Amino acid sequence: RTYSGSMTIQDCVFSSCKCTGSSKSGGALYIQNLRGYVRVRQTKFDDCTATKNAGSVYLNHATASGTNTLLEFISENCEHTSCSNPIYAEGLYVSVSLRQTAFTRCTSNAIQLKNALEASLHGCTFTECSGQGSGLSITARESSTYSLDTCLFSSPSATEPAIVISAPARALFNFHALVFDLHPASDLKGYAVTYTATKAAADMDDD
């Protein structure tokens, strides 16, 4: 079942939020099956963790209902510091927009997108983050569109690629003015961006 509505979070601090227990996600915010938007402005997430995914924000919307089907998540001028997998978004009807959002010393992927319809990142920074796809991990569908503009990925001792993509050939990626200031700790191939081709959307699982 889906619900319609909207929410704005501004000038807030989420500190040491924890979601514990097996298969638990969303340390600070858990948003599922919402038709509408969630806007987060000038908000800080510090040391937020979850057992499974999304120490800061978990988003899930995979079922169409009505004419306005999207769950839109908008982040502006926010900070995520020492969080585990801060943002995790999955589902065919999820749209993610991040502007001037900073991720510092985050673990297990700063942002993980699984079959999300679209995502746009502008002016975001990823500093000393870790994980397979330390800045951004994407599993895309054929109809997905992803745009990254003027983002910085920085690490003094990178051990994993900054961006890891798994996608079918027709998924659309637009990368512009990205800066990778990475210094691999070892002989790491493709330490900036790693891309793996997958099957078409019809053959992919949405679980």
Side-chain angles (χ1 to χ4, degrees):
R1 185 174 180 179
T2 61
Y3 300 88
S4 298
S6 61
M7 175 171 58
T8 297
I9 298 171
Q10 183 164 336
D11 298 320
C12 294
V13 176
F14 295 88
S15 181
S16 299
C17 297
K18 301 184 186 298
C19 184
T20 60
S22 61
S23 302
K24 298 297 184 180
S25 299
L29 302 174
Y30 184 99
I31 302 161
Q32 183 173 16
N33 296 336
L34 174 70
R35 291 179 295 157
Y37 71 84
V38 176
R39 187 186 302 271
V40 183
R41 293 173 171 166
Q42 297 166 207
T43 290
K44 295 182 179 181
F45 299 84
D46 185 18
D47 191 30
C48 294
T49 61
T51 302
K52 188 176 182 182
N53 298 312
S56 299
V57 182
Y58 175 79
L59 306 162
N60 186 324
H61 185 29
T63 304
S65 178
T67 55
N68 181 18
T69 60
L70 279 182
L71 163 57
E72 299 180 69
F73 177 76
I74 305 161
S75 170
E76 299 170 333
N77 298 294
C78 293
E79 298 177 15
H80 301 260
T81 304
S82 300
C83 297
S84 68
N85 183 211
I87 297 177
Y88 185 97
E90 63 179 328
L92 298 178
Y93 301 98
V94 174
S95 172
V96 176
S97 175
L98 308 179
R99 299 183 64 85
Q100 307 298 330
T101 295
F103 300 86
T104 305
R105 296 185 301 277
C106 294
T107 60
S108 305
N109 315 124
I111 303 170
Q112 190 168 356
L113 305 172
K114 182 180 179 182
N115 298 339
L117 177 63
E118 58 191 17
S120 172
L121 281 67
H122 179 83
C124 296
T125 60
F126 303 83
T127 306
E128 297 183 43
C129 294
S130 62
Q132 182 66 23
S134 57
L136 181 61
S137 175
I138 299 173
T139 301
R141 292 182 65 89
E142 197 170 34
S143 58
S144 299
T145 301
Y146 298 93
S147 174
L148 278 70
D149 184 26
T150 323
C151 294
L152 169 65
F153 299 83
S154 175
S155 175
S157 57
T159 58
E160 301 288 352
I163 301 175
V164 173
I165 299 171
S166 177
R170 293 184 182 179
L172 180 61
F173 295 89
N174 295 308
F175 292 175
H176 175 258
L178 303 184
V179 176
F180 297 91
D181 182 16
L182 304 172
H183 304 275
S186 59
D187 184 18
L188 178 64
K189 295 182 179 180
Y191 66 89
V193 180
T194 298
Y195 179 95
T196 302
T198 63
K199 296 180 180 180
D203 298 324
M204 295 176 67
D205 187 8
D206 285 327
D207 59 4

